[in-house]
Structure formats: C-alpha cells, structure tokens
C-alpha cells in the first residue's frame, strides 16, 4: 500500500501552480483537487463570505475525509491562500479556522510548495491583481511559512523549466519515482 501524501500548491497568481501540480499528479499518480468554483465566487462574492466559509467548513471537511480514508491528494490552493490573500486585500478571515486547517494539515504530514517569481512585472491578471499586489502576496506567503507547522518549500519558477521544478519537488518530498 502506498503511503498517504497530501501536497498543497499555493502562492501568488501567475506562477504556474496548476501546470506544476498537474505534472506532479501525472508522475506520482495522485489526483489534483482544484476548486472549480473559485473564480466564479471571487467575481460574485465581493463580501468574501465564500472564502471564510470555505476555510471554516469545506476545507476541514475535506481534510477529515483524507484522514479517515488515507487517500492522497494534491491541492491546487488551500488554506495558505486564505492566509495571504485576506491580508493583502483586507478581507475578513477566520484565524481559528486557519489554525484548525493548519493543525489538520500537519497531522496529515502535508507538504506545501509555494512557487514564486523574482519579479511579477510581466504577470497579467484579469481580476485586477497588480504586480505590487503579487509582491505583497508573496511576502504574506513567506510570513505564513514562519507560522505553519507543515514543511514548506519555496520554488523559484523564473525559468519556467518544468523538468527542473519537478525534480526539486521530488527531492523536497523525498519520494522515489
């Protein structure tokens, strides 16, 4: 039986999280979970309640499922996003729920991978997230890394070399492929 793996890809927009997660998924045979309604709710829910409710109810529910079943998953965004984005955009969040999600993730030995760029000047975003926002978001992820109980790896993606990125991630995860 394969050991359970819980891997979280998180980080600023425009860093290739989805592409890297999908490539890792194919290599390891672990499914990727990405909230398909994330951007719909970003547009529709200006109050931010969707994101608070996701961190209060949905994410702990999924983590509980993983604990009970032993299933593996690669998350394309999870609680670190709420930590960073709520701070940058001044959106209300729930620290108690963030801490619960982090505790549950630690219990599952989750590994967090945060792709980042040296510069965000050429990153375009359809939702009005500017390069200055992205720099602040990265800074919040670095702050998150100081608070989380999970292992975190910052992955520079400037060269967009997927083979190198996957090799670094495999080394961080300590798995044989």
């Amino acid at each position: 039986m394969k050991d359970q793996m819980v891997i979280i890809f998180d980080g600023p927009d425009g860093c290739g999280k989805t592409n890297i997660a999908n490539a890792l998924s194919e290599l390891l045979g672990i499914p990727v979970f990405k909230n398909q309604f994330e951007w719909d709710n970003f547009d529709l829910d200006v109050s931010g309640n969707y994101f608070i409710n996701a961190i209060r109810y949905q994410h702990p529910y999924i983590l509980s499922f993983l604990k009970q079943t032993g299933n593996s998953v690669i998350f394309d965004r999870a609680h670190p996003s709420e930590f960073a984005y709520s701070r940058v955009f001044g959106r209300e969040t729930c620290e108690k729920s963030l801490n619960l999600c982090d505790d549950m993730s630690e219990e599952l030995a989750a590994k967090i991978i945060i792709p980042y760029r040296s510069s965000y000047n050429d990153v375009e975003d359809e939702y009005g997230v500017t390069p200055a926002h992205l720099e602040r978001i990265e800074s919040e992820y670095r702050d998150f890394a100081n608070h989380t109980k999970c292992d975190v790896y910052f992955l520079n993606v400037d060269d967009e070399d997927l083979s190198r990125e996957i090799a670094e991630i495999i080394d961080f995860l300590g798995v044989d492929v």
Side-chain angles (χ1 to χ4, degrees):
M1 177 187 248
K2 183 167 78 171
D3 290 339
Q4 180 180 35
M5 294 186 73
V6 176
I7 303 165
I8 300 170
F9 278 90
D10 230 312
D13 296 315
C15 290
K17 289 177 296 299
T18 300
N19 291 337
I20 301 167
N22 287 334
L24 187 64
S25 169
E26 188 173 313
L27 181 66
L28 298 179
I30 298 173
V32 174
F33 176 79
K34 181 175 177 72
N35 181 351
Q36 69 186 44
F37 303 109
E38 171 187 13
W39 291 110
D40 293 341
N41 288 294
F42 185 81
D43 274 347
L44 298 174
D45 184 14
V46 294
S47 70
N49 289 335
Y50 174 81
F51 297 104
I52 290 173
N53 288 333
I55 213 69
R56 282 184 178 147
Y57 308 114
Q58 295 166 354
H59 199 59
Y61 187 87
I62 291 169
L63 293 171
S64 180
F65 169 81
L66 293 171
K67 180 179 178 185
Q68 292 175 45
T69 63
N71 288 340
S72 294
V73 69
I74 298 172
F75 285 106
D76 184 341
R77 292 207 182 273
H79 70 286
S81 284
E82 178 61 15
F83 181 96
Y85 280 78
S86 65
R87 283 162 175 73
V88 170
F89 292 105
R91 196 175 66 226
E92 181 185 354
T93 193
C94 180
E95 295 295 327
K96 181 178 177 182
S97 296
L98 283 169
N99 291 332
L100 172 64
C101 290
D102 200 63
D103 290 344
M104 293 176 78
S105 296
E106 177 198 24
E107 193 173 330
L108 292 167
K111 305 286 188 183
I112 302 172
I113 300 157
I114 301 176
Y116 72 96
R117 295 186 180 280
S118 298
S119 171
Y120 297 95
N121 289 336
D122 296 329
V123 177
E124 294 182 21
D125 183 85
E126 64 186 279
Y127 294 98
V129 178
T130 66
H133 286 126
L134 295 172
E135 289 172 9
R136 289 179 48 215
I137 290 165
E138 180 189 323
S139 177
E140 291 298 339
Y141 278 110
R142 291 190 182 277
D143 189 37
F144 170 82
N146 292 324
H147 291 91
T148 184
K149 298 174 189 119
C150 299
D151 292 337
V152 177
Y153 185 73
F154 282 88
L155 177 70
N156 184 284
V157 297
D158 287 346
D159 62 5
E160 298 185 9
D161 181 344
L162 188 57
S163 296
R164 178 199 50 82
E165 294 163 357
I166 293 296
E168 284 188 34
I169 291 166
I170 292 299
D171 187 52
F172 167 66
L173 297 175
V175 296
D176 294 321
V177 289

